[in-house]
């Protein structure tokens, strides 16, 4: 783990997946939030220098997990409780045929049932190879009645410069623009550049979208997710976030795999899995 990251966390709060050859992932048990993903020595995830890592609030960066509610929530803070709870290690990191696997779990407790009275178990599995990271969330309805939820992997990607960064694979999709009063629009660009505050929910997404920046690309392959959120707070909103530097919008973009545009129903006893597979392609 980077020495500067090691200095910001308690060893007992994090799990390290070490793939060797400059490949690793550091996951914080608070929210099962991946803080860092190094691929061939390159850091792929953005983590704010002002992110709070003492488990007192959701982590600003990495891959926060959103469950059971994406966006504003009448039962509690937006984006639900999963990113603000302490997860347990379900299976320790293990290398198998060149892939490091690890899983974390979260089950309902009196705090969650107080705000959202359903029984569940979430199992979050990370699989790391020399060029990819897969993150899979399996939702188990362990109660006696069905419930609905929305879920998302709120991935923050590092970029050398937002002005030379784009997202590909969104052309032709309908998106809900939260910056324009939630109105729907059609994307007509092959390369979606981000010149200002973007907060868009692209719906019925193809299996793969790609974040393209000057040094590398990250392809995001969706499995069972239906939507992709593209978010950058830009300068004005950056100033309103205490755990985000005023200039940090220039070196990050969120490309978030989710099922958020319509609620997902899960029957009693059923389990549903949602996965993103992230692949890095360095530019020569
Ligand atoms: O995913 C985009 C978004 O929903 C934005 O609207 C913005 O609120 C962002 O999430 C961050 O939310 P947070 O609660 O982590 O500050």
């Amino acid at each position: 783990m980077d020495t500067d990251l090691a200095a910001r966390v308690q060893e007992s709060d994090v799990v390290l997946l070490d793939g060797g050859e400059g490949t690793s992932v550091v996951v914080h048990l608070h929210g099962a939030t991946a803080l860092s993903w190094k691929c061939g020595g390159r850091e792929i995830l953005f983590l704010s220098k002002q992110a709070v890592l003492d488990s007192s609030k959701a982590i600003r960066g990495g891959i926060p997990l959103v469950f059971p509610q994406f966006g504003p929530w009448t039962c509690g803070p937006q984006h639900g409780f999963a990113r603000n709870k302490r997860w347990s290690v379900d299976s320790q990191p293990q290398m198998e045929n060149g892939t490091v696997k690890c899983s974390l779990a979260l089950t309902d407790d009196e705090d969650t049932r107080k705000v959202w009275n359903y029984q569940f178990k979430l199992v979050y599995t990370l699989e790391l190879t020399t060029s990819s990271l897969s993150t899979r969330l399996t939702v188990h309805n362990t109660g006696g009645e069905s419930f609905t939820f929305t879920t998302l992997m709120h991935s923050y990607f590092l970029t050398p410069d937002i002005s030379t960064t784009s997202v590909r694979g969104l052309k032709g999709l309908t998106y809900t623009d939260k910056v324009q009063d939630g109105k729907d629009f059609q994307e007509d660009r092959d390369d979606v550049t981000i010149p200002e505050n973007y907060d868009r929910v692209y719906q019925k997404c193809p299996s793969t979208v790609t974040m393209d920046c000057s040094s590398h690309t990250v392809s995001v392959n969706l499995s069972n997710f239906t939507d992709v959120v593209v978010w950058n707070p830009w300068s004005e909103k950056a100033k309103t976030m205490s755990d985000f530097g005023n200039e940090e919008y220039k070196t990050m973009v969120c490309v978030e795999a989710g099922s958020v545009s319509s609620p997902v129903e899960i029957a009693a006893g059923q389990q549903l899995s949602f996965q993103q597979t992230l692949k890095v392609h360095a530019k020569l």
Side-chain angles (χ1 to χ4, degrees):
M1 184 185 338
D2 268 0
T3 43
D4 61 347
L5 181 56
R8 296 177 63 186
V9 295
Q10 298 291 328
E11 204 175 326
S12 56
D13 286 343
V14 296
V15 179
L16 173 66
L17 288 77
D18 187 353
E21 299 166 51
T23 295
S24 63
V25 170
V26 178
V27 189
H28 201 298
L29 294 177
H30 185 66
T33 310
L35 303 178
S36 164
W37 167 30
K38 275 188 176 293
C39 184
R42 182 199 307 274
E43 178 59 67
I44 304 301
L45 301 180
F46 166 87
L47 179 68
S48 172
K49 290 182 175 50
Q50 294 170 201
V52 176
L53 302 178
D54 64 4
S55 304
S56 63
K57 69 181 289 187
I59 292 170
R60 182 67 64 199
I63 309 178
L65 296 179
V66 172
F67 177 91
Q69 166 70 23
F70 173 76
W73 195 28
T74 52
C75 303
Q78 83 158 359
H79 292 342
F81 44 63
R83 65 176 184 164
N84 260 322
K85 296 288 286 182
R86 189 170 178 88
W87 290 55
S88 61
V89 178
D90 205 39
S91 67
Q92 290 290 345
Q94 269 195 331
M95 172 79 85
E96 236 173 81
N97 308 323
T99 301
V100 186
K101 275 183 80 169
C102 170
S103 61
L104 306 166
L106 180 73
T107 53
D108 60 285
D109 62 21
E110 62 182 46
D111 293 333
T112 63
R113 289 190 298 271
K114 220 179 277 173
V115 298
W116 192 69
N117 194 18
Y118 295 102
Q119 292 159 291
F120 65 87
K121 178 176 183 180
L122 304 181
V123 178
Y124 183 52
T125 305
L126 301 103
E127 298 189 11
L128 175 68
T129 72
T130 51
S131 61
S132 69
L133 171 63
S134 291
T135 59
R136 180 173 59 257
L137 183 70
T138 299
V139 181
H140 300 243
N141 179 347
T142 54
E145 59 180 315
S146 66
F147 60 75
T148 62
F149 63 93
T150 50
T151 188
L152 170 131
M153 296 180 178
H154 202 294
S155 309
Y156 287 72
F157 293 112
L158 196 57
T159 171
D161 180 350
I162 189 66
S163 68
T164 53
T165 300
S166 65
V167 181
R168 294 190 177 148
L170 300 169
K171 185 172 184 174
L173 300 182
T174 298
Y175 65 89
T176 299
D177 192 338
K178 290 163 70 175
V179 174
Q180 297 193 61
D181 305 320
K183 291 193 191 81
D184 282 355
F185 299 89
Q186 189 100 11
E187 184 54 70
D188 59 6
R189 293 175 292 171
D190 287 310
D191 288 359
V192 175
T193 51
I194 298 114
E196 59 194 1
N197 173 205
Y198 267 29
D199 194 349
R200 302 180 171 191
V201 181
Y202 286 86
Q203 293 138 47
K204 297 191 176 59
C205 285
S207 60
T208 303
V209 299
T210 302
M211 190 284 292
D212 184 286
C213 66
S214 56
S215 52
H216 63 285
T217 65
V218 182
S219 59
V220 182
N221 179 270
L222 311 176
S223 170
N224 206 21
F225 279 127
T226 54
D227 310 305
V228 166
V229 174
V230 176
W231 179 60
N232 185 300
W234 218 252
S235 53
E236 289 317 304
K237 285 192 181 302
K239 289 175 193 152
T240 67
M241 297 190 287
S242 62
D243 58 353
F244 189 84
N246 290 349
E247 302 297 309
E248 287 189 315
Y249 71 92
K250 295 176 180 171
T251 56
M252 57 71 68
V253 61
C254 283
V255 180
E256 310 159 21
S259 284
V260 299
S261 49
S262 49
V264 180
E265 179 156 17
I266 184 169
Q270 190 184 7
Q271 64 183 50
L272 293 174
S273 286
F274 304 83
Q275 178 170 317
Q276 65 172 356
T277 299
L278 308 174
K279 278 199 175 73
V280 177
H281 305 272
K283 291 185 173 177
L284 296 180

